[in-house]
Amino acid sequence: MAVGTVRSLLAEVEAEPAPFLAVVHAVHDAQGYLAPEDVAAIAAALKLPTADVFGALSFYYYLHQGSEPSSLVGVCDGPACRLAGSDRLAERVRRQHGIGEDGRSADRRRRYRDFPCAGLCDWRPVRRADGRCDGEGKAGNPLPAGTHGAAWPIDSEKAIFRFADADLRRLDAYRAAGGYAALRKVERGGDPAGLIEAVADSGLTGRGGAGFPLARKLAMVQGAAGEEKYVVCNADEGEPGTFKDRAIMECLPHLLLEGMAIAGYAVSAGVGIIYLRYEYPYILDALRRAVEEAQAAGVLGDFRVYVRRGAGAYVCGEETSLLNSLEGRRPWPRERPPYPTERGLFGRPTLVNNVETLAAIPAMVEGGAAWFRPLGRAGATGTKLYSLSGAVRRPCNFELPLGVTARQLIFQHGGGTLNGRALKAFTLGGVSGGLLPPDALDTPLDYAGPARWGGTLGSGGIIVYDEASCLVDAALVHMRFFEKESCGKCFPCRIGTVRYRELLEELCGARERETSAGDALSLFQELAAAMTHASACGLGMAAPLTVTSLARHWPHEVESHVRGRCPAAVCRI
Ligand SMILES: Cc1cc2nc3c(=O)[nH]c(=O)nc-3n(C[C@H](O)[C@H](O)[C@H](O)COP(=O)(O)O)c2cc1C
């Protein structure tokens, strides 16, 4: 592409904050690839080191660097899709597109590549072609079409996310249903400190994984020195088995915008940026429409919102990697302190929160802390969107009191296991929160309960395995994901995920045995200690959980693999 064309694409966005990803996608969308001269032109225009920009762009799954357009086809190799037969689907997709041994179609316009979980676990198994994902299981999903399987609690009075209501994607419908009243209320109140106090009273904690109290973060950004501050909405949602933010953004985009504007008011930030994962193109359109509508109608006041699209890298969900990604740097974690609350995007105080956290704010403001708090169970506060998938009858998002038990979620709401087989295990936090045994079914799914089982709730993604599943194989699938997605910046994670994958392959018979039985088990623990204590971010810290919980709760299954046998009906290796 001519340098002039790159410049004119850039001219459209360069007055906006964080223009890097916008111009990269504009060039990539226009011609289907990024040529070296395009990358050099982008780097020069944004005054970034060219080598760094090449390095950053090569990091992403969906950006094709080359000299001719090429479109990706493939199937999702995430755990829910694998359970639903993605390997058989892969053969069909290859045949359909005439993919040869070299992974290319005869006309060389299509490349075959399996892709990591695309957040469509309720439609499993999922395929990709021509820039769109589609789920083979979509038609068989028993939930209403158009809602993407979003659901609400039994008592809908207590729902924060009113997926079932009329089309609240439209501004007029959203306003008619009382939308933007919470924003008006806080503006009228004129008391950001009082607002932060109310958030503290409500007990609202971050829903993206760590459960950090929102009020503390708001207070830190409010108190940080600096004229210019940002609100960044983390909509990267790359965790396998997690698809709740997708439902919020698709069905209730204005709820998110209102939550961001209220958060902006609390911390005195005038700009909000939504970092949306690449795999949700249909949401990109919905969000952009909602932003245009809201800004044209003036409902956001002076608060400006911009949408930036990721390009395919799980680690970009980690908040400091996300900020690097927005800045056009290699998207790997930053050292902390300083925390983003003090020095975040472009060195300015930045509030980074998950979609669900921000979208919960308007209801909390409207209903008040005293209404919000008791929505949870057993000391937990508010509701939570749980994404349920895997070997379960009703794979879906469920908004339920934070702290419901896994039994209620899986059996009462999810309809129990597929085919009525006995439940063997369920994951927490997508694949980052560990594997839990049936004995843990009565554990409250909140930020404290799962700890005694060695797990963490994380994002709220729960994948069910039934008795036919081989859990060593499941752990291998999880570990392959972490290995592929490890950014490579720190060696405990870079090397640890590879060693774990190799060990699990040895156990599954997919690789020649080099490790003795006793060594394998002690290596499980040694690697976990090194990775948990020395990794640079949560990816390397969480990756061992799946293996350590396997060894803790299913020692017999591990031992029989050590002896070369698998007790499960389905060991895919
Ligand atoms: C590897 C990795 C991936 C993550 N992915 C996401 C994500 O997709 N969405 C998200 O909100 N948080 C994600 N997080 C957590 C964020 O770093 C951060 O804690 C969160 O955005 C804070 O928002 P909250 O307080 O509202 O939860 C991830 C963390 C790690 C270590």
Side-chain angles (χ1 to χ4, degrees), residues 253-428:
H254 287 287
L255 185 68
L256 174 61
L257 299 184
E258 186 176 4
M260 288 178 73
I262 296 174
Y265 184 81
V267 302
S268 310
V271 171
I273 298 177
I274 303 174
Y275 187 98
L276 177 70
R277 77 175 302 198
Y278 181 89
E279 289 85 346
Y280 293 161
Y282 42 96
I283 293 177
L284 181 71
D285 298 340
L287 278 179
R288 283 191 175 144
R289 255 198 316 276
V291 170
E292 274 168 28
E293 248 188 326
Q295 280 176 177
V299 287
L300 296 176
D302 295 335
F303 190 71
R304 312 289 303 167
V305 179
Y306 302 88
V307 186
R308 293 290 175 259
R309 195 179 186 195
Y314 166 65
V315 78
C316 288
E318 192 283 327
E319 59 185 9
T320 60
S321 310
L322 187 157
L323 298 175
N324 278 340
S325 174
L326 283 173
E327 291 183 14
R329 300 175 194 282
R330 284 173 206 261
W332 52 29
R334 297 178 179 176
E335 279 178 23
R336 282 148 291 178
Y339 291 93
T341 46
E342 190 191 332
R343 287 186 57 192
L345 188 62
F346 299 110
R348 309 212 166 101
T350 305
L351 180 83
V352 185
N353 275 116
N354 174 252
V355 172
E356 186 184 350
T357 318
L358 292 162
I361 298 175
M364 193 290 294
V365 168
E366 276 287 55
W371 168 79
F372 185 88
R373 259 190 112 77
L375 294 179
R377 295 251 169 93
T381 58
T383 67
K384 175 85 188 84
L385 268 178
Y386 298 95
S387 303
L388 183 64
S389 67
V392 71
R393 284 197 52 233
R394 236 176 277 143
C396 174
N397 285 309
F398 293 99
E399 185 187 358
L400 295 166
L402 180 60
V404 289
T405 65
R407 189 185 301 282
Q408 287 164 323
L409 172 67
I410 297 169
F411 289 94
Q412 187 181 338
H413 301 284
T417 54
L418 206 60
N419 306 322
R421 293 198 188 107
L423 179 141
K424 183 168 184 180
F426 58 97
T427 71
L428 291 180

Side-chain angles (χ1 to χ4, degrees), residues 205-214 217 232-239 242 244-245 277 313-322 336 352-358 432 447 459 482 485 537-542:
T205 53
R207 302 301 199 228
F212 190 82
L214 175 63
K217 224 188 244 185
V232 170
C233 169
N234 189 342
D236 199 46
E237 192 153 72
E239 183 69 48
T242 308
K244 67 191 178 69
D245 297 340
R277 77 175 302 198
Y314 166 65
V315 78
C316 288
E318 192 283 327
E319 59 185 9
T320 60
S321 310
L322 187 157
R336 282 148 291 178
V352 185
N353 275 116
N354 174 252
V355 172
E356 186 184 350
T357 318
L358 292 162
S432 292
Y447 295 101
S459 58
F482 288 124
E485 298 297 332
C537 86
L539 194 160
M541 292 173 197

Side-chain angles (χ1 to χ4, degrees), residues 145-186:
T147 56
H148 266 187
W152 54 97
I154 300 170
D155 179 357
S156 64
E157 279 303 297
K158 294 182 176 170
I160 287 177
F161 306 108
R162 296 180 174 271
F163 296 116
D165 285 1
D167 189 357
L168 297 181
R169 296 176 182 91
R170 295 194 339 263
L171 178 61
D172 51 355
Y174 182 72
R175 286 174 89 175
Y180 288 107
L183 177 58
R184 297 287 89 81
K185 185 171 164 181
V186 299

